[in-house]
Amino acid sequence: LPAVMVSVGDKEGNSNIITVAWTGTICTNPAMLYISVRPERHSYKMIRESGEFVVNLTTEDLAKATDYCGVRSGRDVDKWKEANLTPGKANELAYSPIIEECPVNIECKVEEVKELGSHHMFIAKVVSVQVEDTYMDETGKFCLNDASLLAYSHGEYLGLGKKIGTFGYSV
């Protein structure tokens, strides 16, 4: 699963970061994704009230910060400070900052909340994407595979491995 840091904010100017592995694309047109969050998490109320969040893709270099933001509560610590992360300005959101150190920041507005049990699924429309220039080649192609993205499996963080094939290579 992808290990992402989700940055959130509230109408009082507070912000927080939550690490999420239950996330993914659910639609291309319009671009939509989901995150699943337990209601008792500190960030849950901020997302529910503001109706927005940012999915920030993580890298191997951000593994320690990613873990920290998943095991510490924003009720008790300032995760921005403790994880050495920098809040930045979102293009389209009013309350939720991006994480400057992440190569990709996906700004989202909540369309629907599905209360599924232990987790509630926030279904959201992508309203803006910021990409670090380093990962754009001279033709304007987005080279995300060069970002050393982080994955999560059964309690372990993993770097993405070598390329096995490209879409359609089996035929």
Side-chain angles (χ1 to χ4, degrees):
L1 300 169
V4 300
M5 290 187 282
V6 176
S7 48
V8 301
D10 65 21
K11 295 176 181 179
E12 289 77 45
N14 302 304
S15 65
N16 193 42
I17 306 165
I18 182 174
T19 298
V20 172
W22 291 358
T23 184
T25 303
I26 55 174
C27 190
T28 302
N29 191 13
M32 296 181 76
L33 57 76
Y34 80 94
I35 60 171
S36 291
V37 180
R38 292 189 321 263
E40 60 269 15
R41 294 292 297 259
H42 181 60
S43 295
Y44 177 89
K45 182 179 176 188
M46 290 182 181
I47 299 169
R48 195 75 185 218
E49 289 179 358
S50 71
E52 62 179 49
F53 58 87
V54 181
V55 172
N56 302 275
L57 300 189
T58 59
T59 64
E60 292 176 23
D61 289 342
L62 292 169
K64 188 172 181 179
T66 302
D67 183 65
Y68 185 87
C69 290
V71 297
R72 293 289 181 243
S73 174
R75 287 183 189 96
D76 304 323
V77 297
D78 178 346
K79 293 183 193 181
W80 295 100
K81 179 182 173 195
E82 297 301 321
N84 294 314
L85 297 171
T86 310
K89 178 77 174 113
N91 288 331
E92 298 293 328
L93 303 181
Y95 309 107
S96 302
I98 67 164
I99 299 174
E100 293 279 353
E101 290 77 9
C102 292
V104 179
N105 317 101
I106 306 167
E107 300 176 31
C108 303
K109 289 194 177 179
V110 176
E111 295 278 316
E112 183 179 349
V113 181
K114 292 215 171 265
E115 297 182 7
L116 301 172
S118 65
H119 288 69
H120 292 182
M121 179 187 291
F122 291 93
I123 298 172
K125 186 174 183 179
V126 174
V127 295
S128 183
V129 178
Q130 296 185 39
V131 177
E132 188 177 312
D133 290 339
T134 308
Y135 302 107
M136 301 300 289
D137 73 11
E138 61 281 345
T139 68
K141 179 184 176 192
F142 181 37
C143 302
L144 183 59
N145 294 340
D146 296 339
S148 300
L149 294 178
L150 193 61
Y152 181 82
S153 178
H154 300 284
E156 297 178 333
Y157 297 98
L158 307 164
L160 295 180
K162 65 180 180 175
K163 182 169 97 176
I164 296 169
T166 58
F167 179 76
Y169 85 102
S170 64
V171 290

